[in-house]
Amino acid sequence: MAKYKKKLEEDIRCPLEYGLTIFGGKWKSRIICVLSAKEKLRYSGIRKECRSSMLKYTEQKIFTQEQVQKLFLSVNWISGNYPERLYKALMHSSTVLTVWDDEKLVGITRVLDDTEMLAQVHYVIVHPDYQGKGIAGGMIEYIKEKYKDFLYIEGMPEDKNNVPFYVKHGFSVMENGAAIQICNLDKN
């Protein structure tokens, strides 16, 4: 018995044929599509591309009040405690970009705009089980493309630890800017 087996059998004439012998199941067509578009990728890159291709990004407001509440509560946002108001606010927002894994709402970005000059990214939320998979970055890049003709695209991260994420995606910290708000939670 030979210690070394050739990678390509003599009847396999090209890398695609070889790939088809290795890949199996439901992933075969996705992997081939990813590799045909990207040419060369490491295994981790293939996994990321295949996973993200299964997610659906949409501006259609097809979410339910319960789905939105569940997502907000998954990241401990207090807005989730006001489901009716949260749902109403989203339905009246300029842009709400959602990300779906089949029927599960896994990400949401809300943008308020004045139709010409300013688009304000109000929040970017990703369910904890889906964080670290490029979903938030994908949403931000989508928003940047949609609002590329506006004079300003601004964001107001509620946590200073999130600032590097926005900087990574082309935002800059305002030199003399400061976030301000009035909180009316006690009045509800």
Side-chain angles (χ1 to χ4, degrees), residues 57-63 94-98 142-143 146-147:
Y57 290 70
T58 183
E59 285 188 50
Q60 292 179 324
K61 296 176 182 174
I62 55 175
F63 45 81
S94 309
T95 298
V96 178
L97 177 63
T98 54
Y142 180 102
I143 296 302
K146 177 176 181 171
Y147 289 102

Side-chain angles (χ1 to χ4, degrees), residues 19-183:
L20 290 172
T21 65
I22 294 174
F23 306 133
K26 66 180 182 180
W27 296 102
K28 185 183 289 189
S29 60
R30 290 188 192 275
I31 291 170
I32 291 170
C33 287
V34 166
L35 289 176
S36 68
K38 301 284 183 173
E39 293 185 25
K40 291 183 181 180
L41 280 177
R42 294 183 177 273
Y43 176 70
S44 60
I46 293 171
R47 275 193 346 206
K48 182 178 177 182
E49 290 290 329
C50 285
R51 183 70 182 145
S52 66
S53 69
M54 292 176 58
L55 298 173
K56 177 185 171 189
Y57 290 70
T58 183
E59 285 188 50
Q60 292 179 324
K61 296 176 182 174
I62 55 175
F63 45 81
T64 66
Q65 182 174 299
E66 293 76 24
Q67 289 169 319
V68 171
Q69 181 183 27
K70 187 174 181 181
L71 179 59
F72 274 72
L73 292 176
S74 77
V75 292
N76 299 314
W77 273 47
I78 197 162
S79 302
N81 294 326
Y82 305 93
E84 299 87 13
R85 295 177 82 177
L86 175 59
Y87 183 77
K88 185 176 179 182
L90 289 168
M91 294 307 285
H92 291 91
S93 295
S94 309
T95 298
V96 178
L97 177 63
T98 54
V99 182
W100 299 84
D101 185 359
D102 197 23
E103 299 295 317
K104 182 177 182 180
L105 178 62
V106 300
I108 193 165
T109 299
R110 177 182 181 210
V111 180
L112 306 174
D113 71 65
D114 62 11
T115 72
E116 287 295 323
M117 295 182 66
L118 174 66
Q120 172 74 43
V121 180
H122 189 235
Y123 45 72
V124 177
I125 297 175
V126 176
H127 190 282
D129 294 344
Y130 291 81
Q131 292 176 2
K133 301 179 187 305
I135 296 170
M139 289 191 290
I140 285 294
E141 292 302 320
Y142 180 102
I143 296 302
K144 284 172 46 183
E145 178 63 25
K146 177 176 181 171
Y147 289 102
K148 67 183 177 191
D149 294 328
F150 278 57
L151 292 181
Y152 299 99
I153 303 173
E154 295 182 351
M156 189 179 81
E158 298 221 357
D159 185 342
K160 289 181 183 178
N161 294 328
N162 292 335
V163 170
F165 165 78
Y166 289 92
V167 170
K168 175 182 167 185
H169 288 279
F171 288 78
S172 57
V173 177
M174 293 175 160
E175 188 175 320
N176 294 314
I180 56 174
Q181 76 175 167
I182 296 172
C183 184

